[in-house]
Amino acid sequence: MANARFDAVRVAIAKQPVEAEHPGEETSSYYGCNVFTRATMRKYLDEDTRRAIYETIEKGATLDRSIADHVAVGMKRWALDMGATHYTHWFQPLTGGTAEKHDSFADPRGKDESIEKFSGKLLCQQEPDASSFPSGGLRNTFEARGYTAWDPSSPAFIMGDTLCIPTVFISYTGEALDYKTPLLRSDAAVTKAASELLDIMGYKNEVTHSYLGWEQEYFLVDKELYAARPDLVLTERTLLGHVSSKNQQLEDHYFASIPPRVLEFMKDLEFECYRMGIPAKTRHNEVAPNQFEIAPVYEAANLAIDHNLLLMSIMKTIAERHGFEVLFHEKPFAGVNGSGKHCNWSIGTESGIGLMSPGKTDKENLRFLCFMANTLKAVHDNNALLKASVMTATNAHRLGANEAPPAIISSFLGTQVHAAFEELLESKDMVKIAGKKGYSLGIPQVPELSVDNTDRNRTSPFAFTGNRFEFRAVGSSANCSGPITILNTILAYQLEKFTEAVRTRIASGAEPLQAVLDETRETYRACQTICFDGNGYSDEWKAEAKARGLDCESSVPVCMDEYTSEHTLEVFTSTRVLTEVELESRKEVLWEIYCKKLGIEARTLSDLVNNHIIPVAIKYQNILLQNVRALKEIYGDDFQRMAASQMDLIRCISDDIAAAESEIDKLDAICARLDEMGEGRDAAVLYHDEVVPLVERIRSHVDSLELMVDDEMWPLPKYRELLFIH
Ligand code: ADP
Ligand code: MG
């Protein structure tokens, strides 16, 4: 019997590793060769222009239009030298991923004349036809047009034959339509808030930025097997499929040696990363079979995010060459671990002070405890919003499941930092001027704070790891800008409140550092409930978190309400990161995306079950029926005994078919209702409350059929095939 599934499996098994294209040369000889780096700028831009650009990158200074013209000339010359023929503004719409609209450098002027045209104006601004990007009603209310504007703080790069210019994407009236705009604003808010506080502490003229080191998890699946699974193709996850008898029980995949085909893929990937200036550093197998991770060295958050998005698109192309499909979905396979994108986040100064790193002196450690307490307070006060920032239809499969951070935000500090805070709470008379040595805080342990990096709690969604927080709840397919913007903003807001309180203390006569210390103590006291060092997956924690007043909502669409809560509005408008209209529109877009994703899943599942699964189950059942009939013909009365298990099987198959059919009918009916409802909150809630559980129930019947139907007849590649072939 012809079986598409077997053909796909056969091709996949027969594959040899495709040798990586990467050269044997040293990385430094090609690192960043496709990027308009500072070294390249030295060749193509004059000194004044370069200085103006650096000012913009480092201090956020506005770039003069005449400078932009100079940059455009140099950038164009470089791009043409590199063989580029087109340029594009590269931006991050709220749909996720990146978008680009290519224009040719050539400006056909009729006749036989064509000049390579690219001016400062074209570098700085473009008007892509933006009406099909989601805007949460923003462009309906305002103008249909949106435009992209150059972000000089992220360098241009060349992909294929195209010069890509990182840009923000805003509506004609200035509202953010993308992820980058609020991220840049939030970084500016941190810069402002942190420098005021640092100034009081005696650190003058420090420029603070947020930093990010992401860890990208992903699955690889053979291209042929992927193509034979309509659910993977259309939804990036398997909507059906019984867990294989072996999955990750042995944990033999984690950090095991990398399969040769995958290794060649990784080498090519790293080569391409280096050419793009992405500082890829670690690669390894992850816990689930076919699951891997790539992580770079951390960078300024804006750049790190551009690099992550760039990496995600590069990966797709390179995987293709090696006969793989990359899955960024948070939960492509039920029953095995899902994928996250841990965001290692910190703030620090351009002069090199890590504001989340303990120091050597008392004063440095006061600074450390002060920024820690502020971060914890910010997370405490906005824990529902922070959770909303990672809640999506796809990540919901991970959050709250027994493998990844729970759908409750808490923070793990580790024994030493926790002890230091406890000490701080109890000490009273603390700042004593100790001669020339500076201030003694009177907390004996604190100056010795060397944080043990092995003190880890894998169940915590927001864990302190020595010099940064690791936000583990972020999903593998996410644009990290969402959560990082929120972290930056809530911290900036909290720092402003803190600084205000410190100023009040100083005004009533306190020494500045004493004031900071006292305020740090009170800040920590007010937010201790966010700290939790125990097992975040346990049921006891769920009960306790509720008692502590932490947000325990697990419905994705309901979590989105937090985007426009009174407190969120106050935080975002006072820091000028997002206006009320922008927050409102973001929430609308998130509901819309949630509805779209679940709508596609529901329809895909309904088609699969009706067209692939049930016909095959019936075919197999007919074979069994024939068998029973034949047994009866030949063995007469004795057939009852001989056909008992066949008849059982026939009954079970009927039961599952009937149950699946009836649930599919319900699903189709709800979908018809949803078609009339639009894609706002009500629809999203209906998807969450009714469609999600129905999809799961239908799956359980199909998975039960998978165990009964003849393996040769089953139309879809199974888990053991998808997950174990290299
Ligand atoms: P893990 O042990 O969690 O797997 P990795 O070494 O894979 O850690 O990743 C840690 C990430 O954190 C790396 O990208 C690293 O560069 C980044 N990182 C290290 N220090 C900081 C910091 N101060 N701020 C932000 N990110 C950091
Ligand atoms: Mg990690």
Side-chain angles (χ1 to χ4, degrees):
M1 182 192 307
N3 184 321
R5 167 176 154 238
F6 282 150
D7 291 342
V9 174
R10 247 179 251 124
V11 175
I13 292 174
K15 264 189 202 150
Q16 292 299 316
V18 175
E19 230 178 279
E21 276 177 346
H22 74 103
E25 298 149 39
E26 270 186 41
T27 312
S28 58
S29 66
Y30 54 86
Y31 192 86
C33 68
N34 282 356
V35 186
F36 200 52
T37 56
R38 290 192 182 204
T40 313
M41 285 187 206
R42 274 196 289 279
K43 270 201 242 161
Y44 288 91
L45 301 179
D46 60 60
E47 204 185 323
D48 289 347
T49 309
R50 287 202 313 268
R51 199 169 306 130
I53 287 259
Y54 298 161
E55 278 278 299
T56 303
I57 298 172
E58 283 154 20
K59 311 231 161 68
T62 315
L63 196 75
D64 199 81
R65 190 52 163 268
S66 65
I67 300 281
D69 277 328
H70 287 295
V71 178
V73 171
M75 206 186 267
K76 184 184 84 181
R77 205 147 26 86
W78 169 67
L80 293 174
D81 284 352
M82 294 288 291
T85 53
H86 286 65
Y87 65 91
T88 181
H89 277 196
W90 185 77
F91 59 101
Q92 305 169 19
L94 294 172
T95 31
T98 52
E100 41 201 85
K101 176 194 169 219
H102 296 206
D103 279 309
S104 172
F105 280 121
D107 181 21
R109 297 257 160 135
K111 294 190 191 163
D112 46 17
E113 180 192 12
S114 169
I115 357 172
E116 261 76 47
K117 194 180 146 189
F118 184 64
S119 63
K121 186 160 170 282
L122 290 172
L123 165 65
C124 289
Q125 193 170 325
Q126 263 192 349
E127 282 189 34
D129 174 17
S131 48
S132 47
F133 290 109
S135 70
L138 260 185
R139 275 189 315 274
N140 303 337
T141 343
F142 299 91
E143 249 274 9
R145 272 181 298 172
Y147 64 89
T148 52
W150 180 36
D151 164 22
S153 61
S154 180
F157 55 90
I158 289 173
M159 208 166 19
D161 60 4
T162 304
L163 168 69
C164 299
I165 301 154
T167 56
V168 295
F169 179 37
I170 43 191
S171 78
Y172 197 59
T173 37
E175 283 83 13
L177 295 173
D178 66 346
Y179 276 110
K180 192 190 257 285
T181 307
L183 177 79
L184 291 172
R185 291 180 192 155
S186 75
D187 194 67
V190 165
T191 307
K192 179 168 169 287
S195 58
E196 281 168 16
L197 177 57
L198 286 170
D199 196 76
I200 292 177
M201 298 181 78
Y203 300 94
K204 305 288 175 195
N205 303 319
E206 292 289 353
V207 180
T208 304
H209 287 297
S210 51
Y211 293 90
L212 168 66
W214 41 263
E215 301 164 49
Q216 177 74 56
E217 294 181 343
Y218 60 96
F219 278 86
L220 288 178
V221 179
D222 268 302
K223 216 159 58 176
E224 287 75 16
L225 297 172
Y226 170 87
R229 292 281 315 211
D231 48 355
L232 277 182
V233 173
L234 299 177
T235 72
E236 268 229 337
R237 82 174 177 109
T238 53
L239 298 171
L240 310 167
H242 203 281
V243 288
S244 151
S245 354
K246 177 184 180 218
N247 51 55
Q248 62 188 47
Q249 304 94 322
L250 298 175
E251 304 218 335
D252 48 359
H253 187 69
Y254 193 48
F255 285 119
S257 68
I258 299 171
R261 271 182 65 200
V262 177
L263 191 61
E264 294 304 307
F265 157 78
M266 286 178 170
K267 284 184 193 163
D268 266 352
L269 177 59
E270 280 161 15
F271 172 55
E272 203 50 34
C273 281
Y274 293 150
R275 280 156 39 104
M276 290 295 185
I278 303 172
K281 175 99 176 139
T282 47
R283 58 177 183 207
H284 60 77
N285 289 2
E286 261 302 327
V287 178
N290 280 24
Q291 192 188 26
F292 307 93
E293 177 184 302
I294 178 166
V297 178
Y298 73 100
E299 300 174 285
N302 178 36
L303 187 59
I305 288 165
D306 283 1
H307 278 165
N308 179 243
L309 292 166
L310 185 54
L311 172 101
M312 288 169 80
S313 53
I314 292 173
M315 278 173 85
K316 289 270 175 197
T317 322
I318 295 183
E320 173 86 34
R321 197 172 99 70
H322 289 265
F324 290 122
E325 192 65 44
V326 191
L327 305 179
F328 290 119
H329 192 290
E330 282 78 1
K331 193 77 178 175
F333 303 100
V336 299
N337 266 26
S339 303
K341 180 148 52 195
H342 294 179
C343 284
N344 293 272
W345 166 80
S346 71
I347 61 166
T349 71
E350 289 211 334
S351 65
I353 306 174
L355 294 171
M356 288 165 178
S357 304
K360 293 197 175 59
T361 65
D362 285 3
K363 186 176 161 187
E364 284 170 1
N365 281 326
L366 170 60
R367 185 184 71 208
F368 165 68
L369 290 178
C370 160
F371 279 92
M372 288 292 281
N374 276 292
T375 306
L376 294 172
K377 181 75 163 57
V379 171
H380 170 272
D381 293 356
N382 301 278
N383 69 90
L385 178 66
L386 196 54
K387 185 171 69 190
S389 80
V390 296
M391 277 294 208
T392 58
T394 51
N395 203 24
H397 295 283
R398 235 180 114 236
L399 299 175
N402 222 23
E403 49 159 300
I408 301 167
I409 300 293
S410 65
S411 184
F412 167 81
L413 291 180
T415 2
Q416 286 145 305
V417 178
H418 194 247
F421 271 120
E422 290 304 307
E423 194 91 19
L424 177 66
L425 284 184
E426 270 158 37
S427 52
K428 289 193 188 82
D429 171 31
M430 292 212 307
V431 177
K432 297 182 198 108
I433 309 283
K436 276 191 182 153
K437 281 188 185 156
Y439 295 91
S440 160
L441 304 183
I443 325 170
Q445 286 87 337
V446 175
E448 293 305 320
L449 263 185
S450 70
V451 175
D452 178 4
N453 206 22
T454 57
D455 182 12
R456 294 236 175 156
N457 177 335
R458 296 269 167 206
T459 70
S460 175
F462 193 72
F464 180 66
T465 51
N467 60 354
R468 62 189 186 270
F469 280 92
E470 183 169 340
F471 191 20
R472 302 205 180 102
V474 185
S476 48
S477 70
N479 180 326
C480 318
S481 299
I484 298 298
T485 297
I486 286 175
L487 282 171
N488 284 346
T489 307
I490 61 179
L491 177 59
Y493 179 80
Q494 168 56 31
L495 286 173
E496 274 172 16
K497 295 267 155 239
F498 184 91
T499 304
E500 215 176 282
V502 167
R503 287 207 176 109
T504 310
R505 285 178 190 271
I506 295 172
S508 23
E511 287 287 335
L513 290 188
Q514 179 75 53
V516 170
L517 182 69
D518 290 342
E519 195 53 36
T520 298
R521 186 192 301 110
E522 292 322 307
T523 302
Y524 178 74
R525 201 190 300 284
C527 70
Q528 285 174 76
T529 47
I530 197 70
C531 298
F532 177 66
D533 286 7
N535 178 6
Y537 299 164
S538 67
D539 286 334
E540 296 84 71
W541 169 234
K542 278 183 207 149
E544 166 151 8
K546 206 171 179 125
R548 290 190 190 189
L550 297 176
D551 186 273
C552 298
E553 180 59 61
S554 63
S555 156
V556 177
V558 175
C559 285
M560 299 309 168
D561 290 343
E562 206 53 41
Y563 275 96
T564 49
S565 72
E566 211 174 302
H567 183 64
T568 304
L569 289 177
E570 151 77 10
V571 170
F572 274 79
T573 50
S574 84
T575 47
R576 295 168 175 270
V577 174
L578 287 169
T579 63
E580 183 171 355
V581 175
E582 288 171 323
L583 284 162
E584 195 71 54
S585 81
R586 243 144 246 268
K587 193 179 65 174
E588 295 290 334
V589 171
L590 290 167
W591 280 326
E592 188 184 323
I593 294 174
Y594 185 80
C595 291
K596 286 206 159 73
K597 292 229 159 135
L598 290 177
I600 295 171
E601 285 196 357
R603 284 168 188 85
T604 307
L605 181 66
S606 172
D607 288 353
L608 266 178
V609 175
N610 286 331
N611 304 331
H612 288 64
I613 306 299
I614 291 184
V616 168
I618 293 176
K619 234 183 254 171
Y620 180 59
Q621 202 183 31
N622 280 335
I623 295 177
L624 293 172
L625 284 166
Q626 269 168 16
N627 175 260
V628 171
R629 207 173 290 129
L631 286 173
K632 190 174 178 187
E633 257 173 43
I634 297 172
Y635 295 98
D637 283 350
D638 214 16
F639 102 96
Q640 290 278 13
R641 186 181 53 83
M642 298 176 73
S645 29
Q646 287 89 319
M647 302 218 300
D648 245 6
L649 206 48
I650 291 167
R651 220 167 289 120
C652 291
I653 291 177
S654 280
D655 288 350
D656 276 320
I657 291 178
E661 288 273 25
S662 110
E663 306 278 31
I664 288 279
D665 286 347
K666 284 186 212 152
L667 183 65
D668 291 345
I670 295 179
C671 285
R673 243 170 82 206
L674 280 160
D675 282 341
E676 309 289 302
M677 282 177 71
E679 294 171 324
R681 188 183 193 277
D682 290 349
V685 168
L686 189 59
Y687 270 115
H688 175 271
D689 294 353
E690 307 221 4
V691 173
V692 170
L694 259 178
V695 164
E696 286 313 306
R697 283 207 298 278
I698 294 167
R699 176 189 192 129
S700 72
H701 295 299
V702 174
D703 290 356
S704 142
L705 286 170
E706 185 187 316
L707 289 182
M708 293 187 277
V709 172
D710 181 2
D711 184 63
E712 264 188 58
M713 295 173 74
W714 195 252
L716 303 173
K718 296 183 174 179
Y719 271 28
R720 63 158 195 274
E721 293 153 345
L722 289 166
L723 284 170
F724 292 97
I725 293 173
H726 287 305

